[in-house]
Amino acid sequence: QVQLVESGGGLVQAGGSLRLSCAASGSIFSINAMGWYRQAPGKERELVAVITNSDNTNYADSVKGRFTISRDNAKNTVYLQITSLKPDDTAVYYCNADIRTRPWVTGALYWGQGTQVTVSS
């Protein structure tokens, strides 16, 4: 059994910063890519950033230069540093991870429960 738990969300003024964390725990053999998504009210969930197990990263155009994804493999944790926040960044932020629970099992995608980020103007 695998769990992903996000933390670090909150209410912040425009221009402010936050650091989101997502820790994976449970029966983990290895973790491949990890990522962050967000879903604003009335909108579909969208990719924010992804990082591979070799630290290659990819970002949505809307967050390039403001968001930085990183990971700590020893802690099975992925981070999202958010700067220059805008009201349009208001959303529930979800992390996911492609996790193998056994060496002979292919990876499966797991999701966290989400953390709310609200940016006031």
Side-chain angles (χ1 to χ4, degrees), residues 12 30 33 36 42 54 68 74 83 87 92 99 110:
V12 64
S30 65
W36 287 95
S54 54
T68 303
T83 62
V92 178
I99 296 175
Y110 294 86

Side-chain angles (χ1 to χ4, degrees), residues 38-80:
R38 67 185 180 185
Q39 187 167 18
K43 296 186 177 181
E44 293 186 353
R45 191 174 297 188
E46 63 175 0
L47 173 68
V48 174
V50 63
I51 183 168
T52 69
N53 55 3
S54 54
D55 287 340
N56 292 314
T57 59
N58 193 31
Y59 296 90
D61 288 342
S62 59
V63 307
K64 284 181 180 177
R66 299 189 298 122
F67 290 18
T68 303
I69 189 171
S70 61
R71 62 192 285 173
D72 184 334
N73 293 326
K75 296 181 179 180
N76 290 335
T77 299
V78 62
Y79 304 97
L80 188 68

Side-chain angles (χ1 to χ4, degrees), residues 13-41:
Q13 288 187 334
S17 300
L18 283 173
R19 188 192 195 208
L20 307 183
S21 300
C22 172
S25 62
S27 181
I28 297 172
F29 171 72
S30 65
I31 302 178
N32 300 317
M34 305 182 82
W36 287 95
Y37 287 70
R38 67 185 180 185
Q39 187 167 18

Side-chain angles (χ1 to χ4, degrees), residues 71-114:
R71 62 192 285 173
D72 184 334
N73 293 326
K75 296 181 179 180
N76 290 335
T77 299
V78 62
Y79 304 97
L80 188 68
Q81 181 69 45
I82 308 174
T83 62
S84 302
L85 276 159
K86 306 174 182 179
D88 284 350
D89 295 319
T90 295
V92 178
Y93 284 70
Y94 299 90
C95 69
N96 73 0
D98 181 7
I99 296 175
R100 295 172 67 191
T101 56
R102 297 289 186 272
W104 56 87
V105 175
T106 57
L109 199 61
Y110 294 86
W111 289 86
Q113 82 289 350

